[in-house]
Amino acid sequence: MLFTQSGDAIATLERSLEYRLLEASSAKPSQTRLEAEEAIMESPSHRFYQPFLRLAILNIVSNLMVPLASLMDVAFLGHLNDIRHLAGVAIASVLFNVLYWSFGFLRMGTTGLTAQALGRGNQDEVVGVGVRNGCLAIAIALGLLVFQVPLRQLGFAILSAPPEVKDAGFAYYNAMIWGAPANLLGFVLLGWFLGRGQGKQVLLLSLVANGSNVILNYWLIVQLGWASAGAGWATMLSQVAMASLGLLLAWGDIRRVPMPRLTQQLSDWQALRTTLVLNGDIMIRTFALLLAFSWFTNLSSMLGTVILAANTLLLQVISFTSYFIDGIAFATESFTGSFHGQKDLTRLKPLLSLSLVLSLSLGLTIAGGAIAFQRPLFQLLTSHSPVLNQIPQVIGWLLPVLGFGAIAYILDGYFLGLTQGRVLRNTAVIATALGFAPTALLAGYWQNEQLLWLALAIYMMTRVITLGLQVPKSLKTTARSLDPAVPASPD
């Protein structure tokens, strides 16, 4: 097994880590925090399990703040006398989800490149990755601001809603769009801190963003009565607060790189090309994932309101589970990128094994808990008997969907850490086109809900198979780079 090590080997590795930690703790006063991080991360020991678990837990706690803050937002709007404000924010949020999900590569692409630079011990490159992607985020955000009116008109033309609901959605959109620079810059900052394995900073940013969002929502919606516009301003201001704090936390390391060396990093066209290619591949991957889940929801609506409601509740369980598993996947990205930067094959295997065991156990446990306690669980979410009676017909599909999904999320994190965007792009397209689409078409043709869930399960399974087949190749590539007789290939 990948985790099997002899007692002597473990003792030797432990002593090695202790020696390196002592070295780091006794470093010269002039040593930067980044250098201290490198001293620990470069240890040949396999004793990365504790820092890995610590980072994963911090990521999970940080992730869980997002749905909790969203629930508070819904509660404030849902208690207003006019429900159109809640409905308007709901449809405007769909538009923002598409816009911001499309640029999720700013977070994912930053993590892997930063972790690899950290693994190589290149401080200039670590800072360069963050500044380079930060400039890209600002440029994209400025484009969104310039074209905010046509984007709003197009988005709300596609979304169906009564005029009064659209008016409320306009008010939310018109306020929140001004947070685009802070929001996209926040993606980069989160990716940068994750790439450096700084879970406490990620948790702090999440606390500030979601905590201030709840406080501002209460003030602007409940106290000042700004309704949907207040929700938009609250979200925008919370994004600004998070980005401002992130820049403040990062400034200490940015200023340590002299301007000439930082300028050299920003003018490195090869590095810029690598960034753009990676981001483009991740964007295509994201579109493929969005297509599969949007198609699933659309087909659910074609099967009737009750089935749509039941499937939506089950998707909420899947989404909730992803907040847990993503915490492990983010930690996997960070450590994979660092180990790849060090050209260290020995720790990639146990890292991947540990991540897969943890995520699969978590996914199956949540699926099993949802099945075992389905009635009391879903009664918290709905009181409609037809929906509650429909859920037992398909809830068993959570086991394969979350089982395969848990593995797929970790493999995504692994290849993001390796910055192998082409693998992620190709496997996502294959999973959607060959894994999901054929069975989904049959489900729509025969109006069969079981086939629809089978399509989602096959989609997840296809992602696991296509990504899993690439793992041995990725390990062999790293192994060749360790062989002094073989010239090292570029990352």
Side-chain angles (χ1 to χ4, degrees):
M1 296 295 293
L2 294 174
F3 290 104
T4 303
Q5 301 288 338
S6 67
D8 291 340
I10 292 176
T12 301
L13 292 170
E14 289 178 347
R15 287 193 297 271
S16 176
L17 178 61
E18 291 168 0
Y19 175 73
R20 295 302 295 275
L21 288 172
L22 286 172
E23 280 189 326
S25 64
S26 61
K28 297 178 180 179
S30 60
Q31 186 183 42
T32 66
R33 184 171 72 250
L34 180 57
E35 290 169 337
E37 292 167 1
E38 293 165 3
I40 296 174
M41 294 299 289
E42 288 175 0
S43 166
S45 168
H46 285 187
R47 282 189 57 191
F48 61 83
Y49 303 127
Q50 185 176 349
F52 174 85
L53 292 173
R54 183 167 57 248
L55 179 59
I57 291 171
L58 288 171
N59 290 341
I60 290 171
V61 174
S62 175
N63 288 346
L64 288 176
M65 291 181 189
V66 177
L68 292 177
S70 297
L71 285 174
M72 294 298 294
D73 295 349
V74 171
F76 290 140
L77 290 166
H79 282 84
L80 296 177
N81 293 330
D82 196 336
I83 198 63
R84 69 185 177 91
H85 297 294
L86 176 60
V89 170
I91 63 168
S93 295
V94 172
L95 176 56
F96 278 110
N97 286 341
V98 172
L99 282 176
Y100 289 150
W101 263 58
S102 300
F103 303 114
F105 60 78
L106 291 169
R107 202 285 303 164
M108 292 180 276
T110 303
T111 300
L113 291 173
T114 301
Q116 289 183 16
L118 178 65
R120 287 191 289 267
N122 190 332
Q123 300 179 47
D124 290 359
E125 189 179 355
V126 168
V127 174
V129 169
V131 175
R132 190 182 303 116
N133 281 358
C135 292
L136 179 61
I138 295 299
I140 294 172
L142 291 177
L144 293 178
L145 293 180
V146 169
F147 294 102
Q148 60 177 287
V149 174
L151 286 173
R152 184 190 65 195
Q153 298 305 117
L154 176 61
F156 282 91
I158 296 173
L159 297 169
S160 299
E164 64 274 11
V165 171
K166 285 193 175 183
D167 288 341
F170 279 0
Y172 178 81
Y173 176 95
N174 291 339
M176 186 169 165
I177 190 64
W178 293 102
N183 190 55
L184 296 188
L185 185 59
F187 286 177
V188 174
L189 288 165
L190 286 174
W192 194 69
F193 288 123
L194 281 170
R196 299 178 64 181
Q198 295 179 325
K200 291 182 180 179
Q201 283 83 340
V202 173
L203 179 59
L204 180 59
L205 291 180
S206 184
L207 277 169
V208 169
N210 294 292
S212 62
N213 190 30
V214 171
I215 294 171
L216 288 167
N217 266 307
Y218 175 76
W219 180 46
L220 296 175
I221 296 174
V222 179
Q223 296 296 318
L224 299 184
W226 289 10
S228 56
W233 285 113
T235 303
M236 187 276 288
L237 291 173
S238 67
Q239 292 167 349
V240 172
M242 187 192 78
S244 300
L245 176 60
L247 288 173
L248 183 63
L249 294 173
W251 177 246
D253 292 302
I254 295 174
R255 68 177 183 176
R256 289 191 180 99
V257 179
M259 184 56 67
R261 299 208 315 250
L262 183 57
T263 303
Q264 183 180 4
Q265 282 289 326
L266 296 177
S267 60
D268 186 343
W269 294 111
Q270 181 59 40
L272 179 61
R273 179 182 178 278
T274 299
T275 298
L276 294 176
V277 170
L278 174 63
N279 290 342
D281 287 336
I282 295 175
M283 177 181 278
I284 295 173
R285 164 200 173 271
T286 302
F287 281 143
L289 300 182
L290 282 172
L291 176 60
F293 279 95
S294 299
W295 195 350
F296 180 92
T297 301
N298 188 54
L299 287 175
S300 296
S301 68
M302 293 172 58
L303 297 176
T305 303
V306 172
I307 289 179
L308 173 61
N311 286 355
T312 299
L313 293 180
L314 291 176
L315 285 177
Q316 289 301 309
V317 175
I318 295 173
S319 177
F320 179 74
T321 306
S322 72
Y323 286 111
F324 283 91
I325 298 176
D326 275 348
I328 303 173
F330 291 170
T332 304
E333 279 184 61
S334 303
F335 279 76
T336 299
S338 180
F339 296 160
H340 177 272
Q342 299 169 44
K343 305 298 183 185
D344 188 345
L345 173 65
T346 60
R347 289 186 288 183
L348 283 178
K349 289 182 178 180
L351 169 64
L352 188 55
S353 297
L354 175 63
S355 302
L356 289 173
V357 169
L358 289 175
S359 61
L360 182 59
S361 301
L362 192 57
L364 293 178
T365 297
I366 295 177
I371 293 172
F373 302 101
Q374 56 185 279
R375 197 73 184 183
L377 170 64
F378 290 104
Q379 280 179 337
L380 294 173
L381 303 175
T382 183
S383 58
H384 295 279
S385 296
V387 177
L388 291 171
N389 293 333
Q390 177 63 31
I391 287 175
Q393 308 299 318
V394 291
I395 195 171
W397 287 106
L398 286 180
L399 284 170
V401 169
L402 287 179
F404 287 119
I407 299 173
Y409 295 155
I410 295 302
L411 292 175
D412 273 351
Y414 173 77
F415 284 104
L416 281 169
L418 297 177
T419 60
Q420 294 190 8
R422 183 178 300 178
V423 171
L424 293 166
R425 178 199 66 195
N426 293 344
T427 54
V429 171
I430 291 171
T432 300
L434 302 182
F436 182 80
T439 309
L441 288 171
L442 292 176
Y445 181 77
W446 282 321
Q447 296 288 286
N448 189 304
E449 185 185 17
Q450 299 294 333
L451 281 177
L452 181 57
W453 278 98
L454 175 61
L456 191 59
I458 294 175
Y459 165 75
M460 292 294 188
M461 182 182 68
T462 306
R463 288 179 65 191
V464 170
I465 293 173
T466 52
L467 286 168
L469 289 174
Q470 297 297 319
V471 171
K473 181 180 178 181
S474 69
L475 294 173
K476 288 179 181 178
T477 300
T478 307
R480 284 197 301 269
S481 70
L482 292 174
D483 187 350
V486 180
S489 58
D491 294 335

